[in-house]
Amino acid sequence: GAVVSQHPSWVICKSGTSVKIECRSLDFQATTMFWYRQFPKQSLMLMATSNEGSKATYEQGVEKDKFLINHASLTLSTLTVTSAHPEDSSFYICSASGTSGIEQYFGPGTRLTVT
Amino acid sequence: KQEVTQIPAALSVPEGENLVLNCSFTDSAIYNLQWFRQDPGKGLTSLLLIQSSQREQTSGRLNASLDKSSGRSTLYIAASQPGDSATYLCAVFNDYKLSFGAGTTVTVRA
């Protein structure tokens, strides 16, 4: 149990375009979802936290207008990178927690490359 | 702000040797601590979760200890195997979010 999927697993887009990444909890209801970014050889950095039906809470330094997060249902959250630039190229990982909020379950990640 | 440090950054051992990975954190008011494994280009696999009230957790060849008062955790991997080669991440949960260390990259030589 507690499986989280992400789609796509990798994506290449041109500079200036937007790309959407989906995060789904497959076998539980995710009251809270988290989005992380990981640059090569670095650790995961939390970008934002979202609760179903509410606006996301962004970490300091993360542009909310550039990284649009939607958590419209208890099983789906999306991250849209708008007007992507090469410096947005990174590994994006989502996680989800259920009602207990004790443990987060991580998706397999999405590799974004902006050319 | 919580800061998590992992030492060493990289470790190379011959097969069969025991591994000791260290994690320290600055704010001891944590709810839990988790150890993850990450293979290159992949997501995270949860290995062990220790609640703040616990001192250790064990799963197979893995044992993790937690000393909350001193802000430290140690992951022990017994009788290492080449398949244990990966990056191991420590993360602490407080203030409603996980803070990660930079990881220890382990190479087990056959």
Side-chain angles (χ1 to χ4, degrees), chain B residues 12-88:
Chain B
S12 178
V13 300
E15 182 176 4
E17 193 163 301
N18 296 333
L19 290 164
V20 180
L21 309 180
N22 297 299
C23 171
S24 62
F25 45 95
T26 54
D27 184 351
S28 62
I30 65 170
Y31 191 79
N32 61 48
L33 181 145
Q34 214 164 347
W35 283 94
F36 295 89
R37 168 183 171 138
Q38 186 175 31
D39 292 293
K42 303 294 185 182
L44 305 182
T45 300
S46 179
L47 299 174
L48 291 168
L49 183 149
I50 311 175
Q51 301 289 0
S52 62
S53 59
Q54 297 175 318
R55 296 298 296 256
E56 67 176 347
Q57 277 285 354
T58 298
S59 176
R61 294 184 295 113
L62 276 60
N63 173 274
S65 65
L66 173 64
D67 185 343
K68 202 174 76 162
S69 61
S70 67
R72 295 181 182 182
S73 176
T74 302
L75 177 66
Y76 301 90
I77 304 177
S80 61
Q81 304 168 359
D84 294 328
S85 298
T87 296
Y88 292 82

Side-chain angles (χ1 to χ4, degrees), chain A:
Chain A
V3 178
V4 176
S5 70
Q6 279 185 244
H7 179 79
S9 56
W10 60 271
V11 58
I12 301 173
C13 70
K14 291 186 182 296
S15 185
T17 63
S18 296
V19 61
K20 180 184 286 188
I21 302 170
E22 292 186 351
C23 176
R24 293 182 185 271
S25 58
L26 300 184
D27 53 2
F28 68 102
Q29 294 188 323
T31 53
T32 307
M33 285 186 166
F34 306 83
W35 287 94
Y36 297 84
R37 180 168 53 183
Q38 185 179 34
F39 292 108
K41 303 295 185 181
Q42 296 185 29
S43 191
L44 278 74
M45 298 299 295
L46 179 65
M47 299 175 66
T49 302
S50 72
N51 292 298
E52 185 262 340
S54 302
K55 288 186 178 180
T57 300
Y58 290 81
E59 293 298 301
Q60 193 172 8
V62 177
E63 301 174 60
K64 64 176 74 174
D65 294 332
K66 182 171 184 61
F67 298 99
L68 302 180
I69 292 171
N70 184 278
H71 190 168
S73 78
L74 285 172
T75 59
L76 174 65
S77 175
T78 60
L79 167 67
T80 302
V81 183
T82 62
S83 186
H85 291 285
E87 56 265 32
D88 298 323
S89 298
S90 188
F91 193 52
Y92 292 87
I93 303 177
C94 74
S95 71
S97 64
T99 53
S100 70
I102 293 175
E103 189 167 358
Q104 292 182 29
Y105 303 96
F106 284 79
T110 296
R111 173 75 58 193
L112 170 63
T113 301
V114 185
T115 61

